[in-house]
Amino acid sequence: MASVKEHYDKLLAPYYSWICGGCELKFEENRKLFQSSGIRPALSGVAVDLGAGPGFQSIPLSEAGFKVFAIDLSHDLLAELKSHARGLSIATVEDNLLNFTEHIPRNIELIVCMGDTITHLQTHDEVQILLEDAAGVMEANGRLILGFRDLTAELKNLDRFIAVRSDSKKFFTCFLEYEKNHVKVHDIIHEKTGEQWVMRKSYFRKLRISPQWMSDCLLKAGFSVEKINIDNGMITIIARNLKRS
């Protein structure tokens, strides 16, 4: 089984933006989300994007006026982010997101961890540690946005095979195996080279996290939950740091 970094380095990174529908689509989706949720600089103006990938969140946040620290394990995805970020105030950091406090200033106004990144942590205890670290570096009334897929409902039999995206040159599918606290995600990419189809494959584990469990963890870490949205299995939670000024 591959680690998260190995999985992205070996397989996903070159295809990630395409799998997600393309950068411009994701930039626009997040522009709308941030605008509708009133996410704009109001305190320090510093934002941290945990698991930034190619910049789906970092680009819209910087466009909105934030100074962004974009943290990700993947060198290739951060290089892609940089190609989109010319002229924007985005500093990139290649590291495990659990180490994010080593790379940022204090008094952070906004932290986002979206795109199912938080399920890449190995244990539920690591999730709690991440949330507590986030609360510790945030300003009073700072906000946290989490986005993750609810994997708690177990798919059965053939429903575990999921066709994600395809075009005339490639197609991407995944197969899920459920464990008590994790799901083994087997990712398979077929790509046409000349007249031949080449298959690439890898698998890694994701955490099974329910919206209620996450809400309870946020409260324990010192946040109040302002909004929970569920859209086609994707959970978005917006929370506010309750610590005193």
Side-chain angles (χ1 to χ4, degrees), residues 69-125:
F69 289 83
I71 300 174
D72 201 279
L73 278 172
S74 172
H75 177 84
D76 290 343
L77 290 180
L78 288 177
E80 186 177 350
L81 186 158
K82 291 177 185 177
S83 73
H84 298 296
R86 295 183 179 90
L88 296 175
S89 182
I90 301 176
T92 59
V93 178
E94 185 178 337
D95 199 356
N96 188 306
L97 60 90
L98 287 173
N99 301 328
F100 81 96
T101 59
E102 301 174 10
H103 305 288
I104 62 171
R106 292 301 184 264
N107 298 320
I108 303 300
E109 178 174 351
L110 175 70
I111 297 176
V112 302
C113 186
M114 299 169 66
D116 210 25
T117 296
I118 203 163
T119 65
H120 293 170
L121 296 178
Q122 295 184 17
T123 67
H124 291 88
D125 286 345

Side-chain angles (χ1 to χ4, degrees), residues 150-216:
D150 184 356
L151 297 171
T152 54
E154 183 173 343
L155 299 177
K156 302 288 187 179
N157 301 320
L158 294 178
D159 289 338
R160 296 175 297 161
F161 294 83
I162 302 170
V164 179
R165 193 169 189 210
S166 64
D167 61 25
S168 62
K169 296 291 186 181
K170 52 190 175 293
F171 60 92
F172 174 64
T173 58
C174 66
F175 167 69
L176 307 179
E177 286 186 280
Y178 289 82
E179 302 173 336
K180 180 179 179 181
N181 294 316
H182 298 83
V183 176
K184 286 183 182 177
V185 180
H186 302 255
D187 289 332
I188 305 165
I189 293 174
H190 288 82
E191 185 169 23
K192 192 171 187 180
T193 303
E195 297 300 317
Q196 302 295 319
W197 285 93
V198 176
M199 181 177 69
R200 298 176 177 88
K201 57 189 176 181
S202 179
Y203 79 95
F204 72 136
R205 280 189 172 94
K206 286 187 176 183
L207 272 176
R208 301 175 73 176
I209 300 173
S210 73
Q212 185 59 57
W213 184 88
M214 184 65 81
S215 296
D216 292 343

